Amino acid sequence: MGITFWLKLFGSAMVIVGIIAGIGTADAGGGPESGLVNLMVALSVLVIIVSIGILMHGMAAVLERLDEKGEAHEHSADHTE
């Protein structure tokens, strides 16, 4: 299990945790005086954590792509000898 597996695993976990944290933040301040500020804080928590998870998935995809290109380059170098 390489680094791409762990990036995808923790990226997926971050997306799930971000959604739960955003909902929990919106629900925690849901009193009678809750307003737009509370919803903005909840949305920003959700967006920040979910975007970190999406970036982790993107990094894993880039690393997989670079690994495939490296293997293709090694094979082409073997055939030229």
Side-chain angles (χ1 to χ4, degrees):
M1 287 189 269
I3 187 73
T4 57
F5 170 77
W6 294 108
L7 280 172
K8 286 182 181 181
L9 180 72
F10 287 119
S12 298
M14 287 290 287
V15 169
I16 293 169
V17 166
I19 292 170
I20 293 171
I23 292 171
T25 304
D27 189 41
E33 68 279 347
S34 67
L36 185 61
V37 174
N38 183 38
L39 291 176
M40 288 172 47
V41 169
L43 184 62
S44 63
V45 166
L46 186 137
V47 167
I48 289 169
I49 296 176
V50 169
S51 63
I52 290 170
I54 292 171
L55 283 173
M56 291 173 82
H57 268 276
M59 288 172 41
V62 167
L63 288 174
E64 285 179 347
R65 180 79 182 244
L66 287 174
D67 190 34
E68 290 173 2
K69 284 187 176 184
E71 288 175 1
H73 184 67
E74 288 174 4
H75 290 302
S76 65
D78 290 341
H79 294 298
T80 57
E81 294 178 2

